[in-house]
Amino acid sequence: MSNTPLTPGVVAGRLSPEEYDRNFGDAYPPLDEHEALVAADRCYFCHDAPCIAACPTEIDIPLFIRQIQTGMPQAAGRTIFDQNILGGMCARVCPTETLCEGACVREAAEGKPVKIGQLQRFATDTVMAKDAHPFRRAPATGRVIAVVGAGPAGLACAHRLAMHGHDVVVMDGRDKPGGLNEYGIATYKTPGGFAQAEVEWLLRIGGITVKTGVRLGRELALAELREDHDAVFLGIGLAGVNALRAEGEAHDHVHDAVDFIADLRQATDKRRIAVGRRVVVIGGGMTAVDAAVQAKLLGAEHVTMVYRRTRERMGASAHEQLHAVSKGVQIITGAAPVRILGDGAVTGVEFAYTAEGKQGLTTAGESFVVPADQVFKAIGQKLEAAPGGLDLDGAKIAVTGPGRTSLAGVWAGGDCAIGGDDLTVTAVKEGRDAAEDIHATLMGAATVAAQ
Amino acid sequence: MANLATDFVGIKSPNPFWLASAPPTDKEYNVRRAFEAGWGGVVWKTLGLDPHIVNVNGPRYGAVWGADRRLLGLNNIELITDRPLDVNLREIKAVKRDYPDRAMVVSLMVPCEEDAWKTILPLVEDTGADGIELNFGCPHGMSERGMGSAVGQVPEYIEMVARWCKQHTRMPVIVKLTPNITDIRYPARAAKAGGADAVSLINTVSSITSVNLDTMSPEPMIDGKGSHGGYCGPAVKPIALNMVAEIARDAETAGLPISGIGGVTTWRDAAEFLALGAGNVQVCTAAMTYGFKVVQEMISGLSEWMDEKGYTSVAEVSGRAVPNVTDWQYLNLNYVAKARIDQDSCIKCGRCFAACEDTSHQAISMSPDRVFEVIDEECVACNLCVNVCPVEGCITMEPLAAGEIDKRTGRPVDPNYANWTTHPNNPGAVKAAE
């Protein structure tokens, strides 16, 4: 292929094979043992540590870092997995700068937090490299629980239920389990097939059956699931995408960013993924950044991310924004799309400057055009096909406490439920806590307490 | 710039930093490099009589590390020089000839017989060396043969050998003391009684640094076995400082020149040894850890500090803190301090809280938003919070002014000095002057 970043239109193979390998390899290579020990030495073992409080799954971070420090990374991994069975993925994708590392007292002291995320990866990688799953199941209870959605919430829920001796059937509409871990995260954050390897490792607890290609509302009905199982957990995520509601959305080469990201993740050969010379990404969240950065990494000459509000309001963290800028993505804030221009294929996007006032966001009248031959929409996902009978809270499934829905015997967690915040780690926490509640409910509080 | 030149028992050196008798001073090559780097003097690695001893052929050192693998303590099982006597003597002579302004002291260890000393002393004198140091300290290997610390642990032997040396050489005699003894004042007094010109201390502390949990052998391990070694480096500095001070303030040995040894790593360590009565310092582990260049930091740091304080000579610094070293019973019990936490520099790690709440006096409060404050009603000013705080200067001990109410006792701070000797709780209290 002789295409370059300057080749007009939407084409594949803009870069050399070496460039693709470099661009889509591990963006943050793992710490080796020496680096881990140096990093671990910086932890102060704080009392009632702020990093723990900042972690949605409340991993005992000072303890696991001390375990690394004392030469026991496998014990450290166990400390992590006790709280968060997807600690390996979270180590890679968590916005640590806004969670644990943002709370680290060394951030206050020197502006350089302990590398908690990378240390967590070191510990979890050590455990996962061993040929043994670190958890065992309790004696079988004879209960069977349906988990709909094999994303982080569903997997965390399933693992915890299996640990307590229940049998679990995990169902997912896609071809592979993993949910957004498999389909929704930039390739360079989790290369090497890690998402599937993690699912396989998690399933080694036993007692979990995975059925793929089955969707709620099509192959599955909630009423039947309730009838056939002792409990149901819904971790169905947000399968729908918000529409732009701007003229010209139907032009060629206007796509949903989530599809682009999923296609990239599934593509074994990145050279075959076509990308525009001039790419515009509309939105300001993690999805927008993942799409914009990866468009650049595929060889697009110009990538512009446009967000309608101020930079501070962007869903993408400051760290993510910086990452995007460092890869050559231009970020424009305070501009909303008016129409997508083109004649068949897209040629550009017209934006209007916005102002935030008492009436909310208004466009001031002045507008500009960003030329584009490819446009990605990343303005949020929404719950699709929520099963009837479930109370909703706004656009999400209403839950109380640890994921209890309005239907008896049905729990929900992760992005589909109210309280979810688009983070893997939050989904894990909700799945885990729902599992504990399901277990307590099924076994009777007294039995659980006696265990 | 302050003048760092020192005259220690008549031995002159351009600065008070000598390399201690140890592996770095075993050979001409090393010592020339040391002098080129700026060291004021060396104590040549201990000579013995031929046939020369042999060393083990496996590891000689074991270590203890702090954070980031900073070397805090080093242990060695190396013996005295393992080279022929005449080779060492020849090299000492050559180096001294080329560096006449540097101190050249030769460490010696021969059997406890007068003839042995009579034999070796003239040979050393012939090299032009400035003085000798009697190695009565080595705790490993040589002590099993009746030398090293086997001598240093018996004050009578120290006195005897020191006397022989003073009789048979015109060179100044420094007696190096072992810390592996109950009361350091006894060997120091013996050295003085024997006529020694000075003492140097401490030699290394008997130690096992670690155990290999796979082979179940102490480190350093030689073919599955380990032997105790001599411990040195920053970890032993507090032990050394105390022993130096004990000798400096002992009525019987007061004024006896002291060469301070034990974990000197920076100019500050050196200044502390000087303040407690040392006339110079000897260094080994810092050089072994960082190379000879460290002396440049020590020289510039000490000089800078002396300038700041207005000290013009090392002798002026020497012993300045000795009058302030006292016995516990004379500490002022009317001195009352309280911990103070500077909220601006606090990073909210909570270590002060954990330490105080779990292991001390429950005198630090913690608010839900992690503000840590001292509860004066409970604070006994133990200093543990200061010691565990990772931010230097964040927590301080502030004395209460006379008349101020100590909220812990409810009583005003007494302006008068009063110690245990007169305290009513002391069964042996003497009545205040009548």
Side-chain angles (χ1 to χ4, degrees):
Chain A
M1 283 195 235
S2 57
N3 290 329
T4 73
L6 305 183
T7 306
V10 180
V11 298
R14 289 183 181 272
L15 305 174
S16 69
E18 296 74 33
E19 286 172 304
Y20 283 107
D21 286 347
R22 191 168 60 236
N23 289 354
F24 292 94
D26 217 336
Y28 303 98
L31 300 178
D32 66 23
E33 195 185 345
H34 167 73
E35 291 171 313
L37 289 173
V38 170
D41 267 346
R42 293 189 65 237
C43 175
Y44 283 143
F45 204 73
C46 295
H47 171 76
D48 194 7
C51 54
I52 304 177
C55 174
T57 56
E58 296 186 297
I59 292 169
D60 193 338
I61 293 163
L63 178 61
F64 94 66
I65 293 180
R66 192 169 172 84
Q67 288 166 322
I68 292 174
Q69 228 172 30
T70 56
M72 285 292 163
Q74 59 277 26
R78 173 72 195 228
T79 299
I80 295 161
F81 290 130
D82 274 341
Q83 289 294 103
N84 180 337
I85 197 64
L86 295 179
M89 181 61 80
C90 289
R92 289 161 169 78
V93 305
C94 262
T96 50
E97 66 282 357
T98 57
L99 301 172
C100 51
E101 292 178 17
C104 177
V105 300
R106 300 207 75 151
E107 173 66 29
E110 301 118 43
K112 287 192 180 64
V114 175
K115 293 176 178 170
I116 299 169
Q118 286 189 285
L119 285 167
Q120 178 163 320
R121 177 168 173 186
F122 177 77
T124 52
D125 280 359
T126 303
V127 173
M128 292 172 77
K130 295 219 166 190
D131 194 32
H133 188 79
F135 295 95
R136 289 207 185 153
R137 299 185 68 194
T141 62
R143 309 298 173 101
V144 184
I145 295 123
V147 169
V148 187
L155 289 170
C157 182
H159 186 272
R160 186 57 62 107
L161 288 168
M163 259 177 69
H164 285 311
H166 307 295
D167 286 326
V168 187
V169 185
V170 178
M171 292 156 262
D172 198 279
R174 301 253 204 180
D175 296 337
K176 295 184 202 169
L180 289 183
N181 286 359
E182 174 60 38
Y183 293 98
I185 289 165
T187 303
Y188 56 81
K189 288 181 186 167
T190 167
F194 179 76
Q196 283 313 298
E198 185 178 46
V199 173
E200 281 159 28
W201 172 85
L202 178 148
L203 294 177
R204 288 165 76 178
I205 181 83
I208 304 173
T209 312
V210 177
K211 291 182 181 170
T212 55
V214 288
R215 284 157 294 182
L216 202 59
R218 299 205 191 171
E219 295 83 0
L220 305 172
L222 182 56
E224 283 171 36
L225 289 174
R226 291 176 76 197
E227 223 161 85
D228 299 344
H229 301 85
D230 295 292
V232 178
F233 175 80
L234 300 175
I236 55 180
L238 301 173
V241 289
N242 291 329
L244 205 54
R245 290 191 302 251
E247 190 186 313
E249 217 171 328
H251 286 309
D252 288 346
H253 302 309
V254 178
H255 310 285
D256 287 321
V258 288
D259 293 336
F260 173 62
I261 291 165
D263 289 348
L264 252 169
R265 274 294 294 278
Q266 300 309 310
T268 46
D269 186 355
K270 311 301 179 207
R271 280 176 296 177
R272 297 187 187 284
I273 301 284
V275 72
R277 178 181 176 184
R278 295 187 174 88
V279 175
V280 168
V281 180
I282 302 171
M286 295 290 202
T287 303
V289 169
D290 281 359
V293 168
Q294 293 193 107
K296 194 73 196 166
L297 296 179
L298 282 172
E301 186 191 4
H302 294 292
V303 177
T304 312
M305 209 176 123
V306 186
Y307 176 58
R308 60 195 178 128
R309 299 186 189 274
T310 59
R311 194 170 273 252
E312 295 70 39
R313 301 274 305 263
M314 283 175 75
S317 66
H319 176 82
E320 287 285 325
Q321 293 176 34
L322 201 65
H323 178 66
V325 172
S326 77
K327 294 294 174 192
V329 173
Q330 187 194 359
I331 300 178
I332 296 174
T333 54
V338 178
R339 66 179 64 83
I340 295 177
L341 310 170
D343 180 14
V346 61
T347 57
V349 185
E350 183 183 337
F351 292 93
Y353 286 113
T354 60
E356 276 188 87
K358 284 187 183 134
Q359 277 73 45
L361 207 62
T362 52
T363 52
E366 199 177 336
S367 66
F368 61 95
V369 171
V370 182
D373 37 35
Q374 193 174 33
V375 173
F376 295 115
K377 299 175 288 178
I379 55 168
Q381 286 96 262
K382 62 182 179 183
L383 185 62
E384 195 175 63
L390 281 175
D391 284 355
L392 297 185
D393 182 343
K396 292 191 171 191
I397 298 170
V399 292
T400 52
R404 294 175 192 171
T405 69
S406 57
L407 291 178
V410 180
W411 281 257
D415 288 352
C416 69
I418 195 78
D421 58 5
D422 303 340
L423 291 178
T424 301
V425 64
T426 306
V428 170
K429 170 211 158 59
E430 290 173 358
R432 176 198 75 190
D433 292 353
E436 291 293 348
D437 197 48
I438 292 167
H439 175 62
T441 305
L442 293 183
M443 306 308 288
T447 321
V448 173
Q451 280 177 358
Chain B
M1 215 168 107
N3 178 14
L4 295 187
T6 56
D7 180 337
F8 186 78
V9 296
I11 304 170
K12 294 184 170 58
S13 61
N15 63 57
F17 301 105
W18 293 5
L19 280 171
S21 169
T25 60
D26 191 24
K27 292 201 308 286
E28 177 175 356
Y29 181 83
N30 305 65
V31 174
R32 282 184 186 276
R33 283 180 67 82
F35 284 160
E36 288 305 315
W39 289 88
V42 301
V43 181
W44 198 277
K45 186 170 166 81
T46 309
L47 308 185
L49 292 176
D50 286 333
H52 59 82
I53 60 88
V54 294
N55 269 302
V56 293
N57 298 298
R60 299 176 188 185
Y61 305 113
V64 168
W65 295 276
D68 211 7
R69 216 173 150 87
R70 182 173 286 229
L71 192 76
L72 296 182
L74 192 67
N75 156 302
N76 86 86
I77 57 167
E78 186 174 290
L79 302 182
I80 63 174
T81 186
D82 55 11
R83 305 187 313 148
L85 180 60
D86 67 318
V87 172
N88 278 303
L89 293 170
R90 201 165 56 235
E91 291 185 1
I92 291 167
K93 193 171 192 171
V95 178
K96 180 63 197 178
R97 185 191 60 219
D98 291 350
Y99 295 90
D101 67 321
R102 310 301 172 94
M104 173 67 79
V105 175
V106 178
S107 173
L108 297 175
M109 186 195 289
V110 294
C112 246
E113 298 152 11
E114 190 169 6
D115 280 349
W117 292 94
K118 259 170 105 171
T119 305
I120 201 165
L121 287 169
L123 301 176
V124 175
E125 216 170 86
D126 185 51
T127 63
D130 300 301
I132 55 168
E133 184 181 78
L134 312 186
N135 182 344
F136 293 161
C138 231
H140 50 273
M142 302 310 290
S143 54
E144 296 168 19
R145 307 174 198 184
M147 293 181 270
S149 64
V151 178
Q153 287 165 341
V154 184
E156 291 78 10
Y157 291 176
I158 295 174
E159 184 177 341
M160 176 175 74
V161 179
R163 185 164 290 126
W164 290 340
C165 290
K166 283 306 289 180
Q167 275 167 12
H168 299 301
T169 180
R170 56 171 173 72
M171 295 182 289
V173 175
I174 304 167
V175 173
K176 188 166 181 177
L177 302 179
T178 176
N180 301 306
I181 190 162
T182 316
D183 188 336
I184 198 68
R185 291 174 299 182
Y186 289 88
R189 289 168 188 163
K192 191 179 180 191
D197 297 279
V199 290
S200 58
L201 68 156
I202 56 173
N203 204 308
T204 55
V205 183
S206 292
S207 60
I208 290 173
T209 44
S210 60
V211 176
N212 182 320
L213 294 176
D214 295 322
T215 59
M216 283 297 167
S217 49
E219 298 284 4
M221 179 266 278
I222 304 288
D223 192 24
K225 306 279 187 198
S227 178
H228 79 264
Y231 198 45
C232 53
V236 309
K237 185 186 118 186
I239 298 167
L241 282 179
N242 176 55
M243 289 184 165
V244 165
E246 286 288 286
I247 294 170
R249 73 192 188 94
D250 180 41
E252 288 186 44
T253 52
L256 179 66
I258 301 169
S259 184
I261 313 170
V264 173
T265 311
T266 68
W267 72 265
R268 187 181 294 274
D269 299 327
E272 291 171 13
F273 272 96
L274 295 176
L276 286 178
N280 72 2
V281 293
Q282 296 184 31
V283 178
C284 174
T285 308
M288 290 180 78
T289 309
Y290 304 109
F292 288 144
K293 191 182 168 183
V294 280
V295 74
Q296 291 162 18
E297 166 272 310
M298 296 180 190
I299 290 170
S300 65
L302 185 64
S303 169
E304 191 85 16
W305 171 77
M306 284 170 60
D307 284 348
E308 275 171 31
K309 295 289 181 187
Y311 300 126
T312 53
S313 72
V314 171
E316 237 179 282
V317 177
S318 186
R320 277 195 108 84
V322 174
N324 293 327
V325 184
T326 186
D327 295 337
W328 193 97
Q329 61 181 333
Y330 301 123
L331 297 175
N332 183 5
L333 295 173
N334 284 335
Y335 175 85
V336 181
K338 297 287 174 190
R340 289 286 171 261
I341 301 173
D342 173 25
Q343 297 300 335
D344 289 338
S345 53
C346 175
I347 58 170
K348 305 189 188 304
C349 69
R351 278 168 47 160
C352 58
F353 177 84
C356 193
E357 192 71 7
D358 287 353
T359 69
S360 296
H361 299 84
Q362 297 77 48
I364 293 178
S365 66
M366 175 178 174
S367 74
D369 57 343
R370 302 186 71 84
V371 174
F372 299 92
E373 284 173 310
V374 177
I375 303 165
D376 283 356
E377 286 78 0
E378 306 296 338
C379 179
V380 303
C382 74
N383 213 39
L384 183 63
C385 54
V386 174
N387 297 147
V388 301
C389 177
V391 179
E392 193 178 345
C394 174
I395 310 182
T396 49
M397 280 296 152
E398 304 295 337
L400 298 187
E404 230 178 306
I405 301 292
D406 176 357
K407 289 183 183 163
R408 189 173 69 85
T409 58
R411 288 200 295 269
V413 174
D414 190 330
N416 301 307
Y417 164 86
N419 64 43
W420 175 245
T421 61
T422 56
H423 197 280
N425 283 22
N426 180 357
V430 291
K431 283 190 178 168
E434 287 175 276

